[in-house]
Amino acid sequence: EKKREAPAAGSPIQPVIKDVGEIYSRLLDHRPVIQGEIRYFVKEFEEKRGLRELRVLENLKNTVFETNEHVLPKCEQAMRDNLNETFKR
């Protein structure tokens, strides 16, 4: 039974092992790239969604303003006119 021993720190194989590890991480380990892409996607999604929601709120504000300033007074006047006519009958 032979025991495997780790290469000594001064062994000439250490730089090769280090280089193989770096090559592996650059060629086969895509986690850093994928994580960067995920962060970019989330950032873009949140910014575009935020702008879309801002436009929706702006449109809603304009609709409420238009209703308060123009539609509501017309409705109140039509209601008064019709009620007055009804009361006369």
Side-chain angles (χ1 to χ4, degrees), residues 1 4 12-13 17-18 21-22 24 26 36-37 41-42 45 48 54-56 59 61 64 70 72 78 80-81 85:
E1 292 180 27
R4 282 190 159 181
I13 194 91
I17 293 173
K18 181 180 176 189
E22 288 179 16
Y24 168 81
R26 288 179 184 236
E37 289 294 321
F41 175 81
V42 169
F45 179 79
K48 289 179 182 175
L54 184 62
R55 285 192 298 268
V56 168
N59 289 339
K61 183 187 89 168
V64 168
H70 301 288
L72 188 59
R80 283 190 191 108
D81 293 344
E85 187 178 320

Side-chain angles (χ1 to χ4, degrees), residues 48-60:
K48 289 179 182 175
R49 180 178 176 198
L51 292 176
R52 184 180 67 227
E53 289 178 2
L54 184 62
R55 285 192 298 268
V56 168
L57 289 174
E58 185 69 29
N59 289 339
L60 183 60

Side-chain angles (χ1 to χ4, degrees), residues 1 3 46 57 59 63 65-66 74 77 82 89:
E1 292 180 27
K3 244 185 176 181
E46 287 175 347
L57 289 174
N59 289 339
T63 302
F65 178 77
E66 178 73 23
K74 287 179 184 177
Q77 186 61 42
N82 289 330
R89 288 183 191 170

Side-chain angles (χ1 to χ4, degrees), residues 23-33:
I23 290 170
Y24 168 81
S25 67
R26 288 179 184 236
L27 293 178
L28 302 174
D29 186 14
H30 301 298
R31 284 178 288 177
V33 175

